[in-house]
């Protein structure tokens, strides 16, 4: 009898824990360091202006965010993950494997990835090919043959005689970052495929092509800064010849001390990022566990605030923070999908 009561008590404790976890009274948000400042300003307004608690927002990087988000459902896992890239099919599969099946995708705006340096130094003018040759692990042999060699370039001038004779030293995000993924896809691969013989490799050996075009050198020329864009800005101020990689919003917030490099002759500007003509532009997202909407108070209302015209609109407060807003038509579609609870 005592054993039976003990078993019932333990079962009751387990049930109580589950209920308590599901009844978490605040929204848990993780993910992209780029989306973090936008998500934080929405969370702060939401906490001040509604009856709900201020959501807890953590900057873990897009990859780290998806890992936490897809670990399972329930109160001990995040409700929302921010991302500066689209969710991968492998991450959707991981989510499904762990019981996260109804995922809402919300596109919130656009961002440009910048290569910036201190305003006290001369502005860089780089092509996508320059960026690839400077930062790739393996590059085309300088002798002109269709072979790859370990990156031999130490200065920007060695990459391109028109560039300054400065040491190649670029501080940027780690592999878990969506900014790193987008930079590899848009900037690195953009320069890589300017070599026709490498571009043709995509048809014959897709894995090798990706390794060649996305692989970043590990000899000290590229320095990982973690998920901390503010640290990169500080380092640039102390080292005027160094370049840093981060989102356009951080450039805007620190335009008194840093400047964006021209890429393919184009400086990072609001209008050029919004229409996609700036070469390193990307969409920003967040993802929501639909099954948590009924479990955690405030998620539905938080979604309504984030996708409101005053936040995401052309003249919204997120645009004031440096986010490039969606077109009116695209915004209307996103808002409608959120209202209907459309999932992937």
């Amino acid at each position: 009898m005592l054993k039976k009561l003990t078993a019932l008590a333990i079962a009751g404790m387990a049930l109580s824990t589950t209920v308590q976890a599901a009844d978490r009274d605040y929204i848990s948000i993780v993910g992209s360091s780029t989306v973090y400042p936008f998500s934080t300003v929405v969370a702060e307004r939401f906490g001040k202006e509604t009856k709900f608690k201020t959501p807890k927002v953590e900057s873990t990087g897009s990859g780290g965010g998806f890992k936490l988000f897809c670990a399972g459902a329930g109160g001990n896992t995040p409700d929302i993950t921010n991302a500066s890239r689209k969710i991968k099919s492998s991450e959707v599969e991981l989510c499904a494997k762990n019981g996260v099946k109804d995922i809402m995708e919300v596109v919130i705006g656009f961002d440009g990835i910048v290569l910036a340096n201190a305003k006290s130094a001369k502005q860089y003018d780089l092509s996508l090919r320059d960026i690839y040759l400077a930062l790739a692990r393996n590059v085309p042999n300088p002798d002109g043959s269709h072979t790859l060699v370990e990156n031999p370039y130490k200065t920007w001038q060695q990459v391109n005689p028109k560039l300054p004779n400065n040491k190649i030293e670029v501080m940027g995000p780690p592999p878990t970052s969506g900014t790193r993924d987008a930079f590899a896809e848009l900037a690195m691969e953009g320069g890589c495929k300017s070599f026709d013989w490498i571009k043709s490799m995509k048809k014959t050996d897709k894995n090798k092509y990706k390794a060649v075009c996305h692989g970043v050198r590990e000899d000290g020329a590229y320095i990982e800064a973690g998920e901390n864009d503010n640290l990169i800005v500080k380092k640039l101020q102390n080292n005027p010849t160094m370049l840093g990689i981060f989102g356009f919003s951080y450039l805007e917030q620190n335009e008194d001390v840093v400047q964006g490099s021209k890429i393919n002759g184009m400086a990072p500007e609001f209008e050029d990022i919004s229409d996609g003509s700036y070469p390193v532009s990307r969409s920003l997202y967040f993802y929501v566990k639909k099954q948590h909407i009924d479990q955690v108070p405030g998620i539905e209302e938080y979604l309504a605030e984030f996708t409101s015209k005053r936040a995401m609109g052309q003249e919204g407060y997120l645009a004031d923070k440096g986010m490039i807003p969606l077109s009116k038509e695209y915004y209307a579609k996103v808002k409608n999908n959120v209202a209907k609870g459309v999932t992937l």
Side-chain angles (χ1 to χ4, degrees):
M1 183 67 178
L2 182 60
K3 284 183 180 179
K4 190 174 181 182
L5 286 170
T6 304
L8 285 169
I10 291 169
M13 286 172 66
L15 180 62
S16 172
T17 304
T18 304
V19 172
Q20 190 174 13
D23 283 346
R24 171 162 43 77
D25 63 353
Y26 63 89
I27 301 167
S28 173
I29 304 169
V30 295
S32 166
S33 63
T34 301
V35 181
Y36 174 79
F38 306 130
S39 186
T40 299
V41 73
V42 176
E44 287 171 353
R45 286 193 178 224
F46 180 76
K48 285 177 184 175
E49 297 175 9
T50 70
K51 63 181 181 181
F52 302 103
K53 286 193 174 181
T54 301
K56 181 182 179 183
V57 187
E58 297 175 83
S59 176
T60 63
S62 296
F66 282 124
K67 192 173 180 181
L68 293 165
F69 182 81
C70 293
N76 60 343
T77 64
D79 309 304
I80 296 170
T81 188
N82 299 321
S84 51
R85 62 164 172 79
K86 198 172 181 68
I87 191 170
K88 297 176 182 176
S89 57
S90 59
E91 290 161 339
V92 173
E93 288 166 12
L94 177 63
C95 273
K97 181 183 174 184
N98 292 326
V100 182
K101 293 175 182 175
D102 292 322
I103 302 170
M104 295 170 63
E105 177 184 81
V106 184
V107 182
I108 61 170
F110 302 107
D111 186 32
I113 301 174
V114 301
L115 267 166
N117 71 323
K119 217 163 186 177
S120 58
K122 189 178 178 181
Q123 183 185 38
Y124 282 81
D125 190 346
L126 306 167
S127 67
L128 291 176
R129 181 180 280 215
D130 294 336
I131 294 168
Y132 167 69
L133 290 176
L135 296 179
R137 183 184 295 119
N138 297 303
V139 296
N141 197 320
D143 69 8
S145 62
H146 289 185
T147 57
L148 294 162
V149 296
E150 193 173 322
N151 198 320
Y153 302 117
K154 304 298 180 188
T155 70
W156 287 100
Q157 198 170 74
Q158 288 173 352
V159 167
N160 182 341
K162 295 178 182 178
L163 295 175
N165 192 27
N166 294 336
K167 181 181 177 184
I168 298 170
E169 205 170 11
V170 179
M171 182 169 270
T176 52
S177 167
T179 299
R180 170 78 168 262
D181 288 336
F183 182 77
E185 183 179 336
L186 298 169
M188 297 281 289
E189 187 176 335
C192 179
K193 66 187 181 185
S194 69
F195 294 91
D196 290 337
W197 64 274
I198 299 180
K199 186 179 180 180
S200 64
M201 193 186 293
K202 190 173 184 178
K203 295 178 182 177
T204 57
D205 192 338
K206 197 172 182 179
N207 289 335
K208 185 178 180 181
Y209 169 80
K210 188 173 180 181
V212 170
C213 291
H214 291 211
V216 176
R217 62 195 297 184
E218 297 174 347
D219 58 358
Y222 183 90
I223 305 149
E224 288 184 11
E227 299 289 351
N228 190 341
D229 295 334
N230 288 320
L231 172 65
I232 298 177
V233 171
K234 287 179 183 176
K235 289 283 187 182
L236 297 183
Q237 288 178 261
N238 296 330
N239 187 344
T241 61
M242 179 185 278
L243 284 164
I245 300 168
F246 44 77
F248 176 73
S249 61
Y250 277 89
L251 176 67
E252 279 217 323
Q253 291 168 31
N254 298 279
E255 60 185 359
D256 55 326
V257 292
V258 293
Q259 61 189 341
S261 304
K262 288 183 179 179
I263 297 180
N264 284 359
M266 186 171 285
E269 300 287 352
F270 188 97
E271 293 78 11
D272 297 322
I273 294 168
S274 65
D275 67 16
S277 55
Y278 176 69
V280 199
S281 306
R282 49 141 177 211
S283 299
L284 300 177
Y285 308 80
F286 67 78
Y287 292 83
V288 187
K289 284 178 189 164
K290 193 173 181 180
Q291 65 237 70
H292 277 205
I293 290 177
D294 293 331
Q295 294 182 19
V296 179
I299 295 179
E300 197 168 351
E301 291 81 0
Y302 175 80
L303 297 183
E305 173 58 30
F306 209 126
T307 58
S308 67
K309 194 173 181 180
R310 74 169 190 154
M312 268 176 58
Q314 298 280 326
E315 306 296 329
Y317 60 75
L318 292 177
D320 291 340
K321 290 289 179 180
M323 191 177 79
I324 314 297
L326 305 173
S327 67
K328 289 180 181 179
E329 295 77 18
Y330 198 175
Y331 166 69
K333 182 182 177 183
V334 168
K335 190 170 175 61
N336 185 52
N337 285 346
V338 170
K340 288 183 175 178
V342 174
T343 57
L344 293 174

